[in-house]
Amino acid sequence: MNFNRVISDIIDEGYFGNVTYIDLQPDKDVNISAQFASSLRFFSLTVKEKEKKEVFSIVVKLPCIDPTPREARNCNVMFDNEVNMYKDILPSLGVDKKMYPKMFYGISNSSTNPNRDLLILENMKSQNYVPSSHKIFLDFDHISLVIKKLAAFHSLSYIFKNRDRNGFYRIKDKLKEVVLPTSVQNRLEVIHFATMERGIKPLLPLYDNLKKVLKLLQSPYKIRKMISYPEEPYPVICHGDFCNNNILYKYDGSGIPVDCAFLDFQLSQYSSPAIDLFFFLYMHTTSSFRERYWDVVLEMYWINLKNSLPSDVMIPGFDDYMKHFGKRALYGYMICSWFLPSIMDHHPVTKSDYADLSLEEKVARFVTIAGEEGEKVICEVVSHLLSKNYIDDLIEFYEEKYKLD
């Protein structure tokens, strides 16, 4: 793609205001960045309004270029969802504009010409938002800040539903389910079960209920669907991929985080707030943090959720939320069992490392990532799920929905 020409045309169409195009240069501080379903490019864009020049720090996001993985991951739908989040859904919810990057331009033609899909966002480094220095495990200052922001974000769905239910359902219906081809889904299910079994198997001799839950997890997609199904009155428009990779922070002079912003809404969905909350918490807390702060953080979420609502917007009480969350907390482990060891690994593998492997070889590779330390941290998540009775809650939830053989 000729970015100079494309962005010059976009400016001529007025998307950056009443300005003229001067220059586009790659950002000197960052280079091309790849994500699992898209790619990013960072630029400094110079424009002129009358005689005054202005420089924008921008991020250009493109869907996966290779048509094979794009189809396998249903990247067209993910890109369409993200454009809709920035263009319509976040503004309609009334999300604070400091909570996400400004969109200058977004187009998704997934049904006609996906090769022209493009998203141009502000690079929030210009506002002093940066990634955290800790990639995995976060301290209380980071966790508490993010939890409060997440509660405020989720509260906006309840407010909108209360004020204009039909209007809310119109915007949430813009989000499409990301359905994978059956053959891809089946292969991923095998790998996903193996990663979940890895953290459960060492504890099986000690807990009979783990045998039941392991049997349920042989159908990961079915369990994820059950957990994420929007059971009223709890569901909200969730971020959907809520981990530290998709959060930027602003720090004070002492290095304390004072604000944060959310990025990458391509997996957003209308679902239980549990899918954001427990993915983030299990992904980014240590066992010692959970032992000390778990109940504090969950109460913090609910209090900030409640305090973000006007008096006429009613939601269930704290105990009701805890029961709802308890039945869905396993979602966090389901995601973390796959991703946490991969992030911890000192020699992270790339997609090309797996390209020529058989399914059995891929499974063998995934269940040894990060070695003993990787296995230890996901076993600790399972131990926490057991200590909070979340395993029994999930089994009870399943038995409410289906007959357990």
Side-chain angles (χ1 to χ4, degrees):
M1 180 179 289
N2 185 329
F3 290 103
N4 285 276
R5 187 182 66 191
V6 169
I7 293 178
S8 176
D9 290 344
I10 289 170
I11 288 173
D12 288 344
E13 293 172 18
Y15 285 95
F16 282 77
N18 188 23
V19 299
T20 56
Y21 175 84
I22 300 296
D23 187 38
L24 183 72
Q25 294 293 330
D27 194 303
K28 295 179 182 180
D29 297 328
V30 287
N31 297 309
I32 293 174
S33 175
Q35 300 177 303
F36 79 95
S38 58
S39 62
L40 303 178
R41 287 164 173 80
F42 301 83
F43 295 101
S44 291
L45 169 65
T46 305
V47 300
K48 184 171 71 173
E49 183 178 6
K50 296 181 180 179
E51 298 303 316
K52 181 181 178 182
K53 288 185 179 180
E54 184 174 2
V55 178
F56 291 99
S57 184
I58 62 172
V59 181
V60 177
K61 189 166 190 174
L62 304 168
C64 180
I65 302 301
D66 189 330
T68 301
R70 187 168 68 198
E71 182 178 350
R73 302 179 195 132
N74 209 344
C75 296
N76 291 340
V77 169
M78 285 193 278
F79 198 84
D80 190 54
N81 283 343
E82 182 157 34
V83 170
N84 278 323
M85 283 293 289
Y86 281 115
K87 183 179 289 186
D88 296 321
I89 298 174
L90 295 174
S92 295
L93 286 172
V95 179
D96 187 335
K97 292 182 179 179
K98 294 188 296 183
M99 199 184 287
Y100 62 96
K102 177 181 179 180
M103 186 190 79
F104 293 108
Y105 180 82
I107 187 167
S108 177
N109 301 289
S110 57
S111 61
T112 55
N113 188 8
N115 292 322
R116 300 298 298 174
D117 287 357
L118 181 68
L119 186 58
I120 303 177
L121 305 167
E122 69 170 323
N123 185 342
M124 295 189 76
K125 76 169 189 177
S126 61
Q127 299 182 44
N128 299 316
Y129 286 89
V130 296
S132 72
S133 56
H134 305 287
K135 290 182 67 70
I136 309 176
F137 302 118
L138 302 174
D139 60 21
F140 185 79
D141 288 334
H142 286 83
I143 294 288
S144 59
L145 173 65
V146 172
I147 290 301
K148 291 173 183 178
K149 283 283 185 174
L150 182 64
F153 173 61
H154 286 167
S155 73
L156 297 171
S157 290
Y158 295 127
I159 295 171
F160 198 152
K161 274 196 287 188
N162 179 264
R163 300 285 162 81
D164 181 5
R165 183 168 292 269
N166 291 335
F168 176 80
Y169 278 98
R170 279 195 298 272
I171 66 159
K172 70 92 176 170
D173 285 343
K174 292 177 180 287
L175 295 172
K176 304 180 181 72
E177 183 180 3
V178 180
V179 179
L180 302 181
T182 302
S183 59
V184 175
Q185 182 69 45
N186 289 342
R187 290 196 298 272
L188 291 178
E189 294 281 87
V190 173
I191 299 172
H192 196 184
F193 174 73
T195 63
M196 293 185 290
E197 185 183 38
R198 182 187 185 190
I200 292 173
K201 201 170 183 179
L203 300 172
L204 272 177
L206 303 176
Y207 301 95
D208 287 340
N209 55 356
L210 287 180
K211 297 176 183 177
K212 282 188 175 182
V213 84
L214 194 59
K215 183 177 180 180
L216 302 185
L217 292 176
Q218 289 176 346
S219 301
Y221 179 72
K222 182 177 182 179
I223 298 301
R224 289 197 306 273
K225 289 282 287 183
M226 181 186 77
I227 288 172
S228 59
Y229 181 81
E231 181 182 297
E232 300 293 348
Y234 297 96
V236 297
I237 292 176
C238 295
H239 181 283
D241 190 18
F242 197 65
C243 63
N244 202 47
N245 286 349
N246 295 329
I247 301 172
L248 297 177
Y249 298 87
K250 182 179 283 190
Y251 294 89
D252 67 12
S254 302
I256 304 298
V258 294
D259 200 4
C260 64
F262 304 158
L263 313 169
D264 294 336
F265 294 91
Q266 56 196 1
L267 292 177
S268 294
Q269 58 184 289
Y270 184 58
S271 183
S272 167
I275 72 166
D276 281 346
L277 191 60
F278 288 98
F279 178 21
F280 178 77
L281 288 178
Y282 278 127
M283 191 75 175
H284 299 300
T285 61
T286 62
S287 60
S288 59
F289 183 101
R290 293 190 290 268
E291 183 177 351
R292 184 175 182 183
Y293 293 118
W294 188 262
D295 293 338
V296 172
V297 169
L298 291 183
E299 185 174 10
M300 179 187 300
Y301 171 85
W302 187 83
I303 289 173
N304 280 273
L305 180 69
K306 184 70 173 175
N307 289 344
S308 298
L309 301 173
S311 59
D312 61 324
V313 177
M314 306 301 294
I315 59 172
F318 175 76
D319 291 341
D320 293 320
Y321 267 90
M322 293 307 104
K323 290 176 183 177
H324 175 84
F325 286 162
K327 295 178 179 180
R328 294 161 176 82
L330 189 76
Y331 182 91
Y333 174 71
M334 296 180 74
I335 306 300
C336 292
S337 66
W338 184 303
F339 288 110
L340 188 49
S342 297
I343 294 177
M344 293 175 59
D345 196 57
H346 297 299
H347 303 286
V349 293
T350 64
K351 293 189 288 290
S352 61
D353 294 321
Y354 291 94
D356 298 324
L357 297 182
S358 68
L359 180 58
E360 291 76 14
E361 289 170 329
K362 290 178 181 178
V363 168
R365 180 74 66 88
F366 267 100
V367 298
T368 57
I369 290 177
E372 293 182 1
E373 186 62 22
E375 183 172 303
K376 177 176 178 288
V377 296
I378 60 174
C379 282
E380 288 174 345
V381 173
V382 176
S383 294
H384 185 261
L385 290 163
L386 287 161
S387 71
K388 304 302 290 185
N389 295 318
Y390 293 155
I391 296 290
D392 289 335
D393 289 343
L394 185 280
I395 293 171
E396 178 185 342
F397 184 29
Y398 184 92
E399 291 176 338
E400 290 172 359
K401 301 292 181 183
Y402 310 102
K403 178 177 174 58
L404 182 61
D405 295 330

